[in-house]
Amino acid sequence: MTLTDVSWLIGGPQGSGVESAANIFSRACAAMGYQIFGKREFHSNIKGDHSYFTVRVSDQIIRSNVNDVTIMMAFDAETIFRHYDEVIKNGAIVYDSDISETTLNETHTIDNQYRTRLLARLSLKKKPATIQGVLDIAKENGVKLYPISFKTVLSSLADEINNPKIKGMVRMYNVLGVSFSLGVLKMPPKTLLDSIDVIFSKKQAVADLNKKTATFAYNYAAAKFVDFEYTLKPTTKKQNTIMVQGYHGTALGKMACGCRFQPYYPITPASDESVFLESNELVDVIDNRPGSTLVVQTEDEIAAIGMTIGGALTGTRSATCTSGPGFSLMAEALGWAGINEVPIVITTYQRSGPSTGLPTRHGQDDLLSTIHAGHGEFPRIVYASGDVEESFYDTGRCFNYADVYQLPVIHMMDKFIGSSVVTCNKFDTEKITINRGKLLDKVDGNYQRFALTPDNISPRSKLGLENGVFWNTGDESDESGHITEDPELRIKMMDKRLGKLLHILKTIPDDEQAISYGKAEICVISWGSPKGPILDALQMLRKENVDIGFIQIKLLHPFPKDYVEFLLKDVKTIIDIEANHTGQLGELLKQNLERGPDFYIIKYTGRSMTSTEIYDSLKNIIQNKAQKRQVLTHGS
Amino acid sequence: MDLKLGDYKTQVHNDWCPGCGDFGIVNAIQMSLAEMQIPRHKAAIFSGIGCSGKTSHFINVNGIHTLHGRVLTFAQGAKLANPDMTIIAAGGDGDGLGIGAGHFVAAGRRNLDITYLIFNNGVYGLTKGQASPTLKLGEKTKSLPSPNTNYNVNPIGLAIASGFTFVARSYAYDVRHLKDTITAAVRHKGLSFIDVLQPCPTYNDINTRDWYSGMDQADEITKMAKPRIYKLEESGYDPLVHYDTETELNEKLTQALIKSLEWDTKIPIGVFYKNEIISQYDRRLTDKIPNYLENPPASQIISTNGKSVTDISRILDSLSV
């Protein structure tokens, strides 16, 4: 059996439709039966700056991007200047030949840092600073160059279908690019045309014109470039597959587990989730009238969490969604939810900090700040998902934790997951259980919101419940919720709240705390999105008979000390992999286990990890060639 | 069974200073709740931080003592999720017009059916008398090291500019007027604001009870004190926006703004502005979620026997490949 594993890259100015091109391409390949792993990189800019999409296509399970690009599609100069050396030997650059004379000098969107680096590389190879110059290097690397004049093709098409209007239609370039690519790859065009139909389903005329263009372009490239060795043949289709955007997991998870209120303040890369929830605000309910998710755009993140808490006090499952800067603003109210034992869920899609940092880039640098956010001591749960599919089910868990333990739960996601496009198994609502804990439906007799109980969790009333009138305060309070400064009550109440942490570790099942993917003397520990690239890298190593274990820690606070200790019992070498500068999970390990990582593989460029670079770094460790700390750099 | 005034009082010890205007405000809220016979579990007092923040502990309905400046955010969240609740928010002038001013403006733009009382005494009492946003420029209350260097905010003007649809002022020592104003505010469908003049006997030695009574400005002939406070409703003032026209709206807004600038010798209390034409937030919601009011977030059934009853298959189908 031959394996198919093709990486396709398309780039262009922000706002030029790169994303919809990638969508059409991914959908076409997924419908053909392939697995997809796509990732979008973009600047903090609305129009003009360079953005690109890498889509990896395989007939095997894939969970990450690789360094190598098999086929690159470029209709602007910057894409070629930026990515020409990522294309592998025998790979291809399909490009608009009308730009081959473009110089680096006239490509203004390229920043000075990259310009300087590229000029140095070009002068070393004695090449001119033009598209032709970099293409020459690619050619010397064994890359096949497939020039196509987009203008000429459109013009021939215009003549053939007798529609002169499309001659200069630049917005057709995306469909042209995708179709040329699939023509070069010889993938049967049926799913391409279906994919266009789906994407333009609301505009039949546009769909028809795009399909004509696609067919013409596909045939043109398939006939002209016949020597490309990579092909996408029809493959067996897996049942129950969906193609999702990164934020679909938490958004659909929220809908499925009954979150009905989400106030939020816009922030990249988190707002996509809230916008999706609002776009689908009417919720179908089995055998009942429709429900709804009330999504409210607030004036700031402080209001977002304040409203979320207000909603939760009515018994409504309530959440907000944010990123690092917004989460920092929520810190004070987080403590309020802690002292008042209010179940809320905060989904945070991390990006690179500090401050505004790299606002559209990936990072995992908020682990410790999330665990410690807010003044004073109060219980919370910090839980992290490793990929989109996991995040759907984890969202359900987070709401159960919030309800059962009556505390704020922070569900950690990140930009890598958030802006990926992947195929995965269809989400199964049947697997989501809903546990509201000690939320009351009726109250008899005297009610005290913070009644002391053996498990430290009190029956919870809600606003509007008869006989269930209650008080909350950010001050220390007695059992009824009224202010107290009594030292003995203070001890009881602090012990009650913080006592929940132990109860949590005792009652959350091991396999929800951490996942062990096989044991070995050398073991990787990680959390969140590196999961995919790690698993792919370990699979590559296994093919070389190198066995490395992997523990994905999902419950990060309270830290599952006992279970992780058990999993690491026979491990001789611990390798910490995460996307930050200081190895924050490693710090947690040291704090809790009196044992730290022996090696670190870290990345803080704002770009996600590829399986290739993790594979390379793990190999360095095995071959005794590695420093204690390896810093990954791939990606532009 | 009728609810009595006593049913709305808690046994919690009240630690406000003797003579504090806050007592009058708590009494007025309790009287108003009793007058409207609102079931205890269906009412909630949300409060901010400071002396006024303790209000929620003294009233025997749900009481949510929130964070400094954030009271409106918590209150709106609860109202949005359970629109059946009667919600009164209470906080100080520093709370609502200083640290919380952004939420004040945003709440006005939404126009939820909530009542908001600001206990306006010109000082930060609980931190020992610093200047609040309503203290006039150049005034020096007794614990200020030097005269106030900031211009004062006009609460009535800010409320009108922000979109509040019921804007009133009352006086903590005129409990009956305050009670009536609260009742009218709660009955108003939309966001109502009451600027409650509340002398702080400990730290504000300028706007004292005697000052409001005009003890310093005796009538030359009768030698009687000339009270500063007078009632708009007794002066022929009409706060209501009668027609949905720009001219009418502008006239009522302008009139209210000009009225709000009266101070020093004569201080109006009563309703400055009332607009029943601007849509309430829940009406804006029902435009997109038709059954929002019959089936709001807090009433929705989300599970049976621990299983989700939400059906997301329509969306999953659209994502299928």
Side-chain angles (χ1 to χ4, degrees):
Chain A
M1 188 180 69
T2 54
L3 303 184
T4 301
D5 195 342
V6 166
S7 278
W8 177 77
L9 184 150
I10 187 166
Q14 196 113 291
S16 69
V18 169
E19 203 171 349
S20 52
N23 239 326
I24 298 172
F25 181 87
S26 306
R27 209 165 223 293
C29 297
M32 185 57 68
Y34 284 104
Q35 303 291 307
I36 297 297
F37 192 95
K39 180 198 74 153
R40 184 178 174 228
E41 282 290 350
F42 52 102
H43 279 83
S44 180
N45 156 270
I46 293 176
K47 270 187 196 304
D49 279 357
H50 180 60
S51 74
Y52 69 97
F53 224 110
T54 328
V55 184
R56 187 173 168 205
V57 183
S58 175
D59 50 2
Q60 307 295 305
I61 291 174
I62 42 168
R63 314 167 189 90
S64 63
N65 287 116
V66 289
N67 287 8
D68 296 340
V69 172
T70 325
I71 173 166
M72 173 166 103
M73 175 64 241
F75 40 74
D76 75 325
E78 180 161 0
T79 301
I80 301 180
F81 281 128
R82 290 254 179 210
H83 304 282
Y84 73 95
D85 63 345
E86 292 169 38
V87 184
I88 47 164
K89 188 176 176 202
N90 295 327
I93 299 178
V94 185
Y95 65 101
D96 184 358
S97 55
D98 301 329
I99 59 169
S100 46
E101 298 307 316
T102 310
T103 65
L104 181 58
N105 210 18
E106 62 190 312
T107 311
H108 302 291
T109 47
I110 292 184
D111 58 280
N112 286 333
Q113 287 75 16
Y114 184 69
R115 188 183 301 275
T116 312
R117 286 202 300 274
L118 182 58
L119 280 171
R121 260 186 263 161
L122 285 163
S123 76
L124 204 67
K125 300 231 176 201
K126 302 197 168 41
K127 300 288 182 200
T130 61
I131 288 293
Q132 205 47 59
V134 293
L135 287 176
D136 280 353
I137 300 178
K139 201 171 176 183
E140 286 163 16
N141 291 343
V143 175
K144 293 194 156 63
L145 300 182
Y146 295 149
I148 303 172
S149 166
F150 280 44
K151 231 192 317 184
T152 315
V153 170
L154 267 188
S155 175
S156 325
L157 172 66
D159 293 343
E160 187 182 290
I161 63 172
N162 203 10
N163 183 352
K165 266 196 294 188
I166 62 167
K167 254 181 191 159
M169 229 185 237
V170 178
R171 70 189 135 91
M172 282 292 168
Y173 278 21
N174 285 300
V175 166
L176 280 178
V178 171
S179 313
F180 289 143
S181 307
L182 290 173
V184 169
L185 287 161
K186 309 286 180 303
M187 190 176 94
K190 182 180 181 307
T191 56
L192 166 64
L193 302 179
D194 293 347
S195 175
I196 291 172
D197 263 335
V198 171
I199 282 158
F200 297 106
S201 62
K202 283 178 188 141
K203 301 171 222 161
Q204 193 52 48
V206 180
D208 287 342
L209 184 60
N210 274 283
K211 281 195 288 184
K212 275 185 195 150
T213 311
T215 308
F216 188 82
Y218 178 92
N219 292 335
Y220 178 88
K224 191 163 176 192
F225 307 116
V226 290
D227 63 339
F228 196 49
E229 68 181 57
Y230 296 89
T231 55
L232 292 176
K233 297 193 184 69
T235 178
T236 340
K237 202 165 165 182
K238 247 177 85 192
Q239 291 303 301
N240 275 326
T241 300
I242 51 175
M243 192 177 89
V244 288
Q245 308 273 335
Y247 55 83
H248 280 142
T250 55
L252 288 167
K254 282 177 178 176
M255 289 172 75
C257 80
C259 169
R260 293 294 176 259
F261 187 42
Q262 172 143 318
Y264 82 104
Y265 185 74
I267 188 168
T268 306
S271 338
D272 288 343
E273 193 217 76
S274 300
V275 172
F276 178 86
L277 281 173
E278 189 172 355
S279 308
N280 295 281
E281 62 194 344
L282 300 182
V283 178
D284 295 337
V285 177
I286 298 164
D287 299 331
N288 210 331
R289 59 189 170 171
S292 55
T293 313
L294 182 55
V295 179
V296 179
Q297 185 187 325
T298 59
E299 58 272 29
D300 54 34
E301 284 91 349
I302 297 172
I305 189 169
M307 274 198 197
T308 305
I309 293 171
L313 293 176
T314 70
T316 305
R317 282 197 152 178
S318 305
T320 184
C321 185
T322 189
S323 187
F327 185 77
S328 291
L329 286 182
M330 295 181 180
E332 190 191 15
L334 187 70
W336 196 94
I339 195 170
N340 285 292
E341 310 193 36
V342 186
I344 56 168
V345 172
I346 305 171
T347 313
T348 171
Y349 279 86
Q350 296 167 91
R351 62 193 215 191
S352 278
S355 190
T356 314
L358 299 170
T360 61
R361 309 290 180 179
H362 171 60
Q364 287 184 289
D365 30 358
D366 297 344
L367 175 57
L368 294 178
S369 64
T370 303
I371 288 173
H372 297 291
H375 58 283
E377 298 166 301
F378 59 93
R380 79 194 76 189
I381 284 176
V382 178
Y383 201 71
S385 295
D387 58 37
V388 187
E389 191 174 345
E390 237 181 59
S391 72
F392 175 76
Y393 302 101
D394 288 351
T395 300
R397 286 179 185 171
C398 285
F399 279 90
N400 286 346
Y401 299 157
D403 269 337
V404 170
Y405 305 112
Q406 298 183 13
L407 39 62
V409 175
I410 302 129
H411 186 191
M412 300 203 77
M413 300 288 290
D414 57 46
K415 189 262 166 187
F416 179 27
I417 304 178
S419 59
S420 58
V421 178
V422 298
T423 44
C424 66
N425 297 313
K426 191 184 243 187
F427 303 152
D428 185 1
T429 309
E430 284 285 308
K431 287 191 196 151
I432 286 191
T433 55
I434 293 180
N435 185 349
R436 304 296 320 258
K438 293 191 186 176
L439 177 65
L440 297 167
D441 284 328
K442 68 193 247 304
V443 176
D444 302 311
N446 278 338
Y447 176 73
Q448 289 201 305
R449 171 65 188 95
F450 302 108
L452 295 166
T453 63
D455 64 359
N456 295 315
I457 296 161
S458 324
R460 179 162 74 99
S461 181
K462 53 191 174 191
L463 293 177
L465 186 63
E466 202 165 357
N467 302 320
V469 167
F470 66 95
W471 286 269
N472 279 170
T473 173
D475 287 40
E476 188 55 272
S477 76
D478 59 19
E479 287 178 86
S480 65
H482 289 306
I483 299 170
T484 184
E485 295 186 17
D486 180 71
E488 286 180 19
L489 251 181
R490 166 70 173 175
I491 289 179
K492 283 186 184 151
M493 287 302 170
M494 285 294 279
D495 290 352
K496 168 192 196 311
R497 289 188 298 265
L498 290 161
K500 291 196 273 191
L501 290 173
L502 203 61
H503 181 57
I504 288 165
L505 289 175
K506 280 188 187 151
T507 45
I508 290 185
D510 287 348
D511 62 351
E512 293 184 20
Q513 298 185 4
I515 303 173
S516 168
Y517 300 86
K519 290 191 172 184
E521 283 193 352
I522 303 178
C523 185
V524 169
I525 58 155
S526 187
W527 64 287
S529 65
K531 171 194 170 184
I534 290 170
L535 286 174
D536 281 356
L538 295 188
Q539 200 175 327
M540 288 154 76
L541 287 166
R542 215 161 290 136
K543 284 185 189 148
E544 300 168 17
N545 291 318
V546 176
D547 221 7
I548 293 182
F550 171 36
I551 300 167
Q552 178 199 357
I553 301 178
K554 301 192 66 166
L555 178 64
L556 292 148
H557 186 85
F559 193 80
K561 176 181 179 298
D562 291 346
Y563 187 52
V564 174
E565 204 156 48
F566 164 76
L567 291 174
L568 286 172
K569 198 162 46 96
D570 300 319
V571 171
K572 297 221 162 63
T573 309
I574 300 174
I575 305 167
D576 177 18
I577 302 184
E578 49 185 320
N580 55 51
H581 189 279
T582 50
Q584 298 188 13
L585 178 62
E587 288 304 308
L588 280 186
L589 210 63
K590 283 193 253 176
Q591 266 177 32
N592 287 282
L593 264 55
E594 292 165 9
R595 178 181 181 188
D598 302 287
F599 292 96
Y600 292 88
I601 299 173
I602 50 181
K603 189 166 187 176
Y604 45 91
T605 57
R607 277 64 174 176
S608 55
M609 296 180 187
T610 65
S611 42
T612 320
E613 49 185 355
I614 292 180
Y615 165 87
D616 291 342
S617 320
L618 289 173
K619 260 201 123 158
N620 287 342
I621 292 170
I622 296 158
Q623 295 168 347
N624 276 325
K625 290 194 302 199
Q627 304 278 319
K628 189 175 171 88
R629 188 169 176 268
Q630 297 182 77
V631 179
L632 309 183
T633 57
H634 179 79
S636 59
Chain B
M1 193 181 69
D2 274 5
L3 285 153
K4 298 189 177 57
L5 180 59
D7 294 328
Y8 292 97
K9 295 179 189 268
T10 63
Q11 300 302 310
V12 176
H13 166 70
N14 192 320
D15 61 355
W16 285 329
C17 305
C20 179
D22 289 356
F23 289 103
I25 305 177
V26 164
N27 287 341
I29 295 173
Q30 289 161 337
M31 286 161 67
S32 170
L33 289 169
E35 179 176 83
M36 292 183 285
Q37 287 289 298
I38 296 174
R40 290 175 49 232
H41 65 281
K42 289 206 164 176
I45 311 291
F46 284 72
S47 58
I49 292 295
C51 295
S52 60
K54 296 178 182 172
T55 302
S56 53
H57 294 280
F58 305 134
I59 300 173
N60 196 11
V61 300
N62 294 291
I64 312 297
H65 183 192
T66 69
L67 289 168
H68 195 36
R70 316 303 170 203
V71 59
L72 283 175
T73 71
F74 286 67
Q76 289 173 96
K79 181 72 182 180
L80 283 163
N82 185 350
D84 200 29
M85 295 293 294
T86 295
I87 289 183
I88 297 174
D93 41 356
D95 193 285
L97 301 166
I99 185 170
H103 306 307
F104 186 91
V105 173
R109 295 171 50 216
R110 286 190 196 97
N111 196 32
L112 263 86
D113 189 12
I114 287 177
T115 297
Y116 181 35
L117 277 69
I118 280 187
F119 298 22
N120 182 355
N121 59 17
V123 291
Y124 283 77
L126 215 46
T127 50
K128 305 197 191 306
Q130 294 84 355
S132 93
T134 57
L135 191 70
K136 309 285 178 210
L137 175 66
E139 284 189 337
K140 185 182 172 306
T141 48
K142 71 181 183 197
S143 66
L144 285 184
S146 56
N148 182 20
T149 51
N150 293 310
Y151 196 78
N152 68 292
V153 70
N154 172 353
I156 300 282
L158 187 63
I160 290 165
S162 305
F164 283 70
T165 49
F166 179 104
V167 181
R169 183 190 281 148
S170 190
Y171 181 47
Y173 289 114
D174 190 342
V175 178
R176 183 155 301 279
H177 183 271
L178 179 54
K179 182 266 290 174
D180 288 344
T181 311
I182 293 170
T183 301
V186 171
R187 288 190 170 142
H188 171 73
K189 299 283 173 222
L191 184 62
S192 41
F193 170 62
I194 308 173
D195 175 28
V196 188
L197 303 174
Q198 174 252 319
C200 171
T202 306
Y203 291 109
N204 191 331
D205 52 350
I206 298 172
N207 311 114
T208 60
R209 186 174 192 165
D210 285 351
W211 181 83
Y212 282 114
S213 313
M215 304 296 268
D216 60 324
Q217 48 177 17
D219 188 287
E220 280 175 18
I221 299 155
T222 64
K223 306 292 178 208
M224 298 276 281
K226 278 201 301 192
R228 285 186 162 79
I229 287 176
Y230 75 98
K231 294 180 174 123
L232 286 173
E233 54 271 32
E234 291 170 1
S235 72
Y237 181 91
D238 176 15
L240 187 67
V241 178
H242 291 275
Y243 324 101
D244 190 6
T245 65
E246 206 181 312
T247 330
E248 167 75 357
L249 182 65
N250 289 349
E251 195 177 301
K252 289 293 152 71
L253 284 169
T254 315
Q255 162 192 272
L257 185 62
I258 292 169
K259 207 40 134 176
S260 74
L261 296 168
E262 274 183 29
W263 195 254
D264 290 333
T265 54
K266 295 294 269 177
I267 300 173
I269 61 171
V271 182
F272 282 68
Y273 174 77
K274 184 171 158 79
N275 188 330
E276 294 170 331
I277 296 163
I278 290 176
S279 66
Q280 230 181 292
Y281 198 72
D282 60 17
R283 241 193 291 160
R284 300 175 203 168
L285 290 179
T286 47
D287 282 347
K288 48 190 215 128
I289 304 172
N291 72 356
Y292 164 70
L293 285 173
E294 302 93 73
N295 195 24
S299 310
Q300 292 182 35
I301 310 277
I302 60 166
S303 64
T304 47
N305 302 322
K307 282 300 184 194
S308 169
V309 294
T310 308
D311 179 6
I312 56 167
S313 55
R314 201 161 38 89
I315 299 170
L316 290 177
D317 287 346
S318 74
L319 298 171
S320 288
V321 284

